[in-house]
Amino acid sequence: MDTGELLALYEQMALIRRTEKAAHDLFLQGLVKGTTHLAAGHEAIAVGASAALRDDDYVFATYRGHHHAMARGATPEECLAELMQRATGLCRAKGGSMHLTKAATHMLGSYAIVGAHLPMAVGAAWSARLRGTGQLAVAFFGDGATNIGAFHEALNLAAVWRLPVLFVCENNLYMEYTPIADVTAVPRPAADRAAAYGIPGEVVDGNDVVSVREAVARLAGRARAGDGPAVLEAETYRHFGHSRTDPATYRPAEEVERWLKHDPLDIARGRLVEAGVPEETVTAADERAQAVVQEAVEAARNAPPPDPREAFTDVWADGGAAWRT
């Protein structure tokens, strides 16, 4: 990866980090309703993976999905307006924090039900296979989802049909408030289980955007060549609690300190400086990201609320079979 591309990825991560911080602050001000599941600390996974994908590849994310929406083309203004229930929001105020979706860029949603989207990614990959498009489907999920039945069902069917789908586990060590190691029989909850379905399982430093990009590019190439699915377990750490109601006091202080020193932005910045990029160039990227997010916050604050009539659009209510014909 040349320094120009790495700088662009760094700036994208900085933009996501600034947007997450804005979402946190707006929640404390009462401008974001419900709750939020912030992905600060996970940025390298979304940005690195997206850099290795084609524009028409399908992406599915969890309720902790702000970073994936932005990596696939959603703007800070669209995301913040959605969180603030504004008409200009990504889903016109219908989705909120846990359901960010941008179908136009093939980011096919964030899902609140743990593991529910993994079979959907398998279906998208099957569709791509049938249509012969060469597209890939990527399902991002947390370590807790590896103990959900849908995880195993999705891996099994994807392996049986050798589908072009990648399963990327964002292992931040905790399934909500419980250490994943306390309730899982294998050390690597995602990668160690891949062999049971006859597919590769790899582990990568999820805080190093270069390592993530390289791993996803390699596994994506394998899938497009017809060699079937793979599991990538990306080790990472969330900087905030599970949600805004969680102070995360269950995490050991030394563990938090160790992971905060392994920050995705710091790692990328270090790579840039080591490659000879001037510090002021990297700082300028940070400042650009800050300016974009500041403008996004003001635009979202000033945006109108949604028209109540919008509540009855884009809603499928017919539970019968007529839609099939």
Side-chain angles (χ1 to χ4, degrees):
M1 184 184 299
D2 62 38
T3 56
E5 182 180 2
L6 181 55
L7 182 63
L9 298 185
Y10 173 84
E11 186 167 343
Q12 190 174 29
M13 289 195 294
L15 189 68
I16 293 171
R17 177 70 60 85
R18 297 281 188 179
T19 304
E20 293 276 277
K21 178 62 166 59
H24 173 270
D25 293 344
L26 291 166
F27 180 92
L28 295 180
Q29 295 170 35
L31 295 174
V32 172
K33 308 299 181 183
T35 190
T36 55
H37 301 81
L38 300 178
H42 289 217
E43 297 91 351
I45 299 173
V47 172
S50 186
L53 299 177
R54 290 182 359 190
D55 289 344
D56 63 345
D57 286 335
Y58 299 113
V59 166
F60 298 79
T62 72
Y63 50 73
R64 196 183 311 280
H66 302 167
H67 53 325
H68 292 297
M70 295 182 65
R72 298 305 282 175
T75 66
E77 181 180 343
E78 288 176 320
C79 292
L80 294 174
E82 183 65 28
L83 270 61
M84 295 168 68
Q85 300 175 320
R86 299 295 197 259
T88 55
L90 192 58
C91 301
R92 302 205 303 278
K94 291 183 179 181
S97 175
M98 292 195 285
H99 300 286
L100 296 180
T101 303
K102 189 156 187 171
T105 63
H106 297 84
M107 195 283 173
L108 298 187
S110 306
Y111 296 84
I113 304 302
V114 175
H117 60 298
L118 274 68
M120 296 181 190
V122 172
W126 186 39
S127 168
R129 165 71 61 77
L130 289 175
R131 291 179 290 114
T133 61
Q135 291 167 287
L136 189 74
V138 186
F140 296 91
F141 55 97
D143 45 279
T146 64
N147 287 337
I148 297 293
F151 168 79
H152 299 274
E153 294 168 3
L155 263 64
N156 180 68
L157 193 57
V160 169
W161 288 346
R162 297 179 68 83
L163 294 176
V165 56
L166 299 184
F167 301 97
V168 182
C169 176
E170 298 181 60
N171 185 355
N172 59 28
L173 309 186
Y174 291 88
M175 41 186 302
E176 293 196 8
Y177 322 111
T178 304
I180 186 67
D182 288 357
V183 294
T184 307
V186 291
R188 308 292 186 183
D192 285 352
R193 283 155 158 167
Y197 303 101
I199 61 178
E202 298 186 12
V203 179
V204 68
D205 182 355
N207 284 9
D208 184 354
V209 70
V210 175
S211 296
V212 172
R213 182 187 181 281
E214 291 175 349
V216 172
R218 183 177 65 258
L219 296 176
R222 177 184 175 279
R224 291 192 214 279
D227 292 331
V231 173
L232 181 65
E233 185 168 332
E235 296 178 317
T236 188
Y237 203 75
R238 49 177 162 81
H239 289 186
F240 293 93
H242 169 67
S243 67
R244 285 303 312 130
T245 59
D246 174 23
T249 54
Y250 48 82
R251 301 192 300 188
E254 60 274 16
E255 175 188 279
V256 175
E257 181 181 4
R258 181 174 70 253
W259 276 98
L260 289 181
K261 290 180 179 177
H262 194 60
D263 186 298
L265 272 70
D266 292 342
I267 293 171
R269 179 184 280 267
R271 280 185 175 274
L272 286 165
V273 173
E274 185 178 353
V277 177
E279 281 275 7
E280 54 269 27
T281 300
V282 184
T283 299
D286 277 314
E287 292 172 348
R288 287 193 298 271
Q290 182 177 10
V292 169
V293 174
Q294 286 177 339
E295 291 178 6
V297 169
E298 290 308 308
R301 281 178 180 272
N302 296 323
D307 186 331
R309 291 173 294 184
E310 286 280 317
F312 299 100
T313 62
D314 303 322
V315 176
W316 179 67
D318 179 6
W323 63 274
R324 297 194 183 111
T325 57

